[in-house]
Amino acid sequence: MLQLLWLVPAVPFAGALMLAIFGPRMRSKVVAVVGVGTIAVSAVISLLIAGAFLSAPPAAGADTQVLWTWIDVGSFHSAIAFYLDALSLVMVVVVTFVSFLIHLYSTEFMRGDEGYSRFFAYMNLFVASMVTLLLADNLLLLYLGWEGVGLCSYLLIGFWYQDPANGRAGRKAFIVTRVGDTAMAVGLFLLFHRLGTLRIQDLMHAAQSQWPIGSPYAIAAAALLLGGAVGKSAQLPLQTWLPDAMAGPTPTSALIHAATMVTAGVYLIARTHVLFELAPPVQLAVAVVGTATLLMAGFSALTQNDIKRVLAYSTISQIGYMFLALGVGAWGAAIFHFMTHAFFKALLFLAAGIVIEALHHEHNIFRMGGLRKELPVAFWIFLIGGCALAGLPLITAGFYSKDLILWSTANSAAGGMGLWAAGIAGVVLTSLYTFRLIFLVFFGPAATPVTRRPGRAMVIPACVLAFLSIAGGFDRAPFTAFMSTALPGFRDARGGVAEAASSTAAGFAFLAGLLAAWYAYLRNPALGRAAGRNPAGRLLHQFWFSDWGMDWLYDRLFVRPVVWMAAANKADIIDSIYDGLARMAALCHRFLSLTETGKLRWYAAWIAGGSAVVVAIVMFL
Amino acid sequence: MTIVFYASSAVAIVATVLMLTRLHAVHALLYLIVSLLAIAVIFYDLGAPFVAALEVIIYAGAIMVLFVFVVMLLNLGEQASRAERALLTPSMWIGPSVLAVILLAEFIWILMRGSARPMQAASIGPVEVGVTLFGSYLIGVELASMLLLGGLVGAYHLGWRKVPKTEVTHASHS
Amino acid sequence: MLPIREGFILSGILFTLGLIGVLVRRNLVFALMSIEVMLNAAGLAFVVAGTRWRQPDGQVVFLFILAMAAAEVSVGLALVLELYHQYKSLDTDAISRMRG
């Protein structure tokens, strides 16, 4: 069964190729079958592999399938090889399954769009790249997948390219993540230069044996890899691209910018956990970055009025939780939260898509309202997703995963109560903005009439995800046990805080946020209006709305100088060198044509002269 | 033996110089023929009777005669001679002479460097030449024949004058 | 005593004279004649060399030169006739349409 591993990325890739070449000529039904079918095949195969892996685990808990040698130059060897252990297995299963559901959803969502086949081609290519990234045996292949998902993200954000704003959003995403990618590339160079290999398992063993804890090389390498992770996962300071990325179609936002691509950074850190364990300052930085991001994004989400932007900031915030977990050494908890987050965040985006479609592309939540009665299915699934996000105690998956993270943080050596308190504050914020969203969209007076009801293809995947958002949390114990075959277990450093205490605190935080939202938006809407009129309140609102001013900062700091330099170099100094070469060639041509007189005696004279010179050279040299 | 050589070489050189300075083409050709005959004598003196005969028969006898025929066909009259005189100013000779003399000087310098070993005369007759020609140089013979064929076809094609279309059909009917 | 070196020198002088003729004379027929002189001089050199080595190879090469000269002259003179027919002049400086 494990021999079929290579099919998991290969089938979507073949699908992407076929759709890219033949797509415009296919009928839309065929496009849908091909586009969804490849992902279905991939998901089924990954489930079968999971079954085989669980029933008969391979030796050392991991299996490698080598396809062929990619690069073999000097001392550098890199192969196209796939590495399957608990970590990559879980992530591949989640990614392919959620992708399948989202592809099914988009057959109806994107119906009638003139880029129907192009959309599925890009989405298939994305899934192929993401799976390559997850299964990669060496960091170079991982980087290939990394770049591939970045490319597909760019292509899909700017999918409706006729609107230049979409193109700008795509470029912004690509360029900001590029900063991170460059840091990661430098990290790869450093690792290869010092340790001589990029094969992940060999690299981890070499690092552990050669570098002591706190070694400067480990710190540098881990910091650079963190830079790459921060870029791709939209954490501080490279998070500015994700809210703008909502310009893409909703299924894209659901798949790429919520469930899968943005978690690539989490995967990278988990994969190279040895490096981070060897560099405690960097691991602390991971936790701090995660905490800061989750709070910042939480505040920003409170002020947004576009439904997708709220969910985007929510994604940034939740990945902050995953980074926090990685930073305190709760590796399994981070992956568990990844899984539950994939379920409920994709669910929320799909439900948001249903609402947007129903209201004929209305995104502003202040122009929605009262949809509880008009779209009951959307209401219930959105409610389930929102409760999972906010962490409704005991029945939602999100509660179990977030709780594990918070409890681990409280008991860790690096984190302690400070980070725990920040995490609890994050829970309050999450609950607050989630229920603000739900109350504004589904309760209150109706502002825009419903023009379309969702079809089966849109509702069924959402319902499946809703079920998983509830049931996915109950398998926490076997999940963490399974994870410990690939990742180190959590080291309980203080042992002071019991889980029950932490869970209770989280539950109260959830209630606090819910009550505050209910009061501010349902009971007493005048409060919000009064806050809006208050100058301090307005200032705060503007500050949080613009993502804490980071876009403004980056514009002043980086964008303007570069644009100025480009305008200054308008005559293109470098190009004029080559222009000069061409001009000199033309000049030589003009002079040499003067020797073509057409006269016989002139030519004969030149022959005679030339032979005299040649004979002289032969004679004297 | 050497006196024959020096006399013939003097004749050859003088005849060539005279050939270069004539105004009328036929005069120049006649001087050229004299030069070639002098060279033939030198060949015979060197012990190569076969090429001596060839020089006279083919070079002086056929090629030069062809020249004479063509010049006759051109029918360059008195005005051509006057034009030639106008063209051949003394200043015209300076540049080419310098160039050519430089080449000659280089050539003589190379010759002078080698050792001059005295050699005895030995006549190499037609038989030996024929054996070598059709032995080791057979492919050369074939190539030369192809070259001559090419020359023949080329000359024929270039000399072909298109006959103006007269009432040929009339003549055939009547 | 065979005059080998003197033979080569004679060949060189005749070649040089032919070269001067090509460079100086503007009439095409004279140019062709000068080329014949050069060819003849080269053939003389070959024969002298063959005599020096006591081999018939020099004479064989002279035969080839002869054949080549014959072919060249026939085509060349046909071209001269054609040229005179077209341009009514044999001045090589005037017939320079392959200029530029």
Side-chain angles (χ1 to χ4, degrees), chain B residues 6 20 22 32 42 46 54-55 59 84 92 100 107 114 117-120 124 129 132-133 137 158, chain C residues 1-2 5-6 8 10 16 21 24-25 27 30 36-37 40 51-52 54 56-57 59 62-63 66 82:
Chain B
Y6 284 120
L20 286 180
R22 293 306 99 196
L32 183 55
I42 293 175
L46 286 173
L54 278 183
E55 175 92 353
Y59 222 129
E84 288 287 329
M92 283 262 292
F107 187 54
R117 279 186 304 167
M119 291 201 66
Q120 280 298 84
I124 300 170
V129 175
T132 313
L133 181 65
Y137 289 92
L158 283 167
Chain C
M1 256 292 267
L2 283 175
R5 185 180 283 163
E6 288 79 6
F8 279 125
L10 171 68
T16 308
V24 170
R25 300 303 300 245
N27 192 323
F30 280 91
E36 290 307 311
V37 170
N40 188 247
T51 314
R52 184 249 176 273
R54 299 235 181 131
D57 292 57
Q59 301 186 37
F62 182 82
L63 195 67
L66 215 51
E82 191 62 37

Side-chain angles (χ1 to χ4, degrees), chain A residues 272-588:
Chain A
T272 55
H273 60 87
V274 169
L275 278 176
F276 286 89
E277 283 172 340
L278 289 173
V282 182
Q283 199 171 8
L284 181 64
V286 173
V288 169
V289 162
T291 315
T293 309
L294 74 90
L295 285 175
M296 253 186 68
F299 280 114
S300 297
L302 273 178
T303 56
Q304 301 298 319
N305 52 25
D306 180 332
I307 188 173
K308 283 175 70 174
R309 282 181 87 102
V310 176
L311 294 174
Y313 280 109
S314 167
T315 306
I316 298 175
S317 180
Q318 294 302 306
I319 298 177
Y321 274 104
M322 294 183 220
F323 268 60
L324 174 60
L326 293 170
V328 300
W331 312 99
I335 304 301
F336 189 57
H337 193 57
F338 150 76
M339 187 176 82
T340 58
H341 174 262
F343 295 147
F344 60 67
K345 193 44 68 63
L347 170 64
L348 281 169
F349 268 104
L350 295 190
I354 292 177
V355 167
I356 290 170
E357 276 292 293
L359 297 182
H360 198 63
H361 299 291
E362 178 59 69
H363 284 234
N364 191 340
I365 55 178
F366 289 103
R367 285 206 278 271
M368 303 177 185
L371 292 174
R372 200 170 76 245
K373 299 185 196 59
E374 297 284 336
L375 298 171
V377 177
F379 170 63
W380 282 107
I381 57 178
F382 204 100
L383 187 63
I384 293 173
C387 288
L389 171 59
L392 179 64
L394 294 176
I395 55 168
T396 55
F399 168 74
Y400 285 105
S401 59
K402 209 179 298 187
D403 179 60
L404 183 60
I405 294 177
L406 289 171
W407 177 50
S408 309
T409 307
N411 283 331
S412 70
M417 297 312 287
L419 290 179
W420 179 86
I424 294 288
V427 174
V428 176
L429 279 173
T430 309
S431 177
L432 184 56
Y433 68 65
T434 308
F435 284 103
R436 164 182 179 265
L437 192 61
I438 294 177
F439 292 147
L440 280 174
V441 174
F442 292 101
F443 289 77
T448 310
V450 170
T451 48
R452 245 185 79 175
R453 307 255 164 208
R456 263 197 324 240
M458 284 167 79
V459 168
I460 292 180
C463 291
V464 172
L465 285 172
F467 171 73
L468 285 169
S469 298
I470 297 177
F474 297 136
D475 61 345
R476 192 172 80 181
F479 187 92
T480 41
F482 182 54
M483 269 295 134
S484 58
T485 62
L487 296 169
F490 174 67
R491 275 191 307 277
D492 200 335
R494 297 177 197 213
V497 182
E499 187 182 352
S502 174
S503 314
T504 321
F508 276 122
F510 168 82
L511 273 175
L514 169 59
L515 284 171
W518 172 76
Y519 188 76
Y521 291 100
L522 282 187
R523 188 90 161 89
N524 193 1
L527 188 69
R529 283 194 288 277
R533 272 192 294 273
N534 186 351
R538 232 197 342 261
L539 196 68
L540 214 54
H541 176 96
Q542 182 58 31
F543 185 58
W544 287 338
F545 182 78
S546 68
D547 194 10
W548 295 59
M550 293 206 72
D551 268 330
W552 177 91
L553 182 70
Y554 287 154
D555 182 58
R556 289 287 183 289
L557 211 56
F558 299 114
V559 174
R560 292 206 179 178
V562 171
V563 170
W564 177 85
M565 274 200 291
N569 194 27
K570 210 161 171 184
D572 207 346
I573 302 167
I574 310 271
D575 220 19
S576 60
I577 298 176
Y578 299 105
D579 260 345
L581 281 174
R583 267 202 300 269
M584 204 149 31
L587 201 72
C588 287

Side-chain angles (χ1 to χ4, degrees), chain A residues 195 202-213 273-275 277-278:
Chain A
L195 296 174
D202 297 343
L203 198 62
M204 296 298 119
H205 286 132
Q208 211 154 34
S209 57
Q210 289 182 25
W211 291 344
I213 295 187
H273 60 87
V274 169
L275 278 176
E277 283 172 340
L278 289 173

Side-chain angles (χ1 to χ4, degrees), chain C residues 16-61:
Chain C
T16 308
L17 287 173
L19 182 62
I20 292 176
V22 170
L23 293 176
V24 170
R25 300 303 300 245
R26 278 161 75 156
N27 192 323
L28 195 54
V29 174
F30 280 91
L32 280 174
M33 275 195 265
S34 308
I35 288 172
E36 290 307 311
V37 170
M38 287 161 80
L39 280 170
N40 188 247
L44 172 64
F46 268 107
V47 171
V48 169
T51 314
R52 184 249 176 273
W53 289 101
R54 299 235 181 131
Q55 282 174 349
D57 292 57
Q59 301 186 37
V60 168
V61 175

Side-chain angles (χ1 to χ4, degrees), chain A residues 596-599 601 604-605, chain C residues 23-26 93 96 99-100:
Chain A
E596 271 190 69
T597 53
K599 293 186 188 154
R601 298 188 308 130
Chain C
L23 293 176
V24 170
R25 300 303 300 245
R26 278 161 75 156
D93 278 0
S96 60
R99 165 183 47 240

Side-chain angles (χ1 to χ4, degrees), chain A residues 36-54:
Chain A
V36 179
T38 52
I39 310 297
V41 166
S42 204
V44 163
I45 292 179
S46 58
L47 281 170
L48 289 172
I49 291 176
F53 194 91
L54 287 169

